[in-house]
Amino acid sequence: MAGPRVWVDADACPRPVRDVVCRAAERRQVPTIFVAASPLNLPRGRYVSARTVAAGFDAADDAIVEEVAAGDVVVTQDILLAQRLVEKGARVTNPRGEIYNAENIGPRVSQRNFMEEARGAGLAGGGPPPFDDRDKQAFSNSFDRLLTASLRAVQR
């Protein structure tokens, strides 16, 4: 079996997260694919590549789901995409370091749906706070845990 790959839902991925992922890809020699609807400016590297998909609703999401394999690591802040990936056996984290798995994805999707309804009814507003150094550190830690687990699983 080939080793795991890393997939990044890159359209709204914060630059500090991209930097962490690119450095890890080169250091750990893991093929890493950034998927977006528009061209990306990524650092050159042997293990880092970008895939531009046609613009369209969920085009990047669908491209990732189509190619992801069990054990791959995915970075996304799209909870509905995370649900699809967890169901395929991928290891998923968001840019703030929250890891999604079979135990927590259902409640997170329910919470997302509730908040969307509340915003639609004018009962809630705003979005997440600005991305900061604590978020970058939390992401770095969770990403390293997931990537290490995926690499170890292949070595068994």
Side-chain angles (χ1 to χ4, degrees):
M1 175 182 160
R5 294 173 294 176
V6 172
W7 296 90
V8 180
D9 180 11
D11 281 321
C13 183
R15 173 148 312 272
V17 168
R18 277 195 240 169
D19 294 343
V20 167
V21 171
C22 289
R23 282 194 305 273
E26 296 302 319
R27 185 177 67 251
R28 308 218 34 206
Q29 301 178 355
V30 176
T32 299
I33 306 98
F34 287 78
V35 182
S38 57
L40 298 168
N41 183 16
L42 297 172
R44 291 189 184 264
R46 184 171 174 201
Y47 296 94
V48 175
S49 64
R51 183 170 305 156
T52 304
V53 297
F57 186 72
D58 286 345
D61 298 1
D62 293 342
I64 294 170
V65 170
E66 185 176 312
E67 293 202 41
V68 77
D72 284 357
V73 176
V74 184
V75 179
T76 184
Q77 56 189 357
D78 181 333
I79 193 70
L80 297 179
L81 172 58
Q83 181 180 38
R84 294 168 68 190
L85 295 165
V86 166
E87 290 170 357
K88 287 193 77 170
R91 300 171 193 265
V92 185
T93 184
N94 74 13
R96 294 179 187 269
E98 183 176 1
I99 294 173
Y100 302 118
N101 55 44
E103 290 77 39
N104 70 11
I105 195 67
R108 290 292 289 124
V109 168
S110 294
Q111 179 184 17
R112 174 242 180 234
N113 292 341
F114 173 78
M115 291 305 295
E116 187 170 282
E117 288 177 21
R119 281 190 294 276
L123 300 174
F131 192 83
D132 63 21
D133 287 340
R134 284 184 304 233
D135 295 320
K136 179 181 174 183
Q137 187 60 52
F139 169 76
S140 184
N141 292 340
S142 70
F143 181 72
D144 185 63
R145 278 195 310 274
L146 292 180
L147 187 54
T148 297
S150 286
L151 291 169
R152 284 187 180 150
V154 171
Q155 293 173 348
R156 289 186 202 144

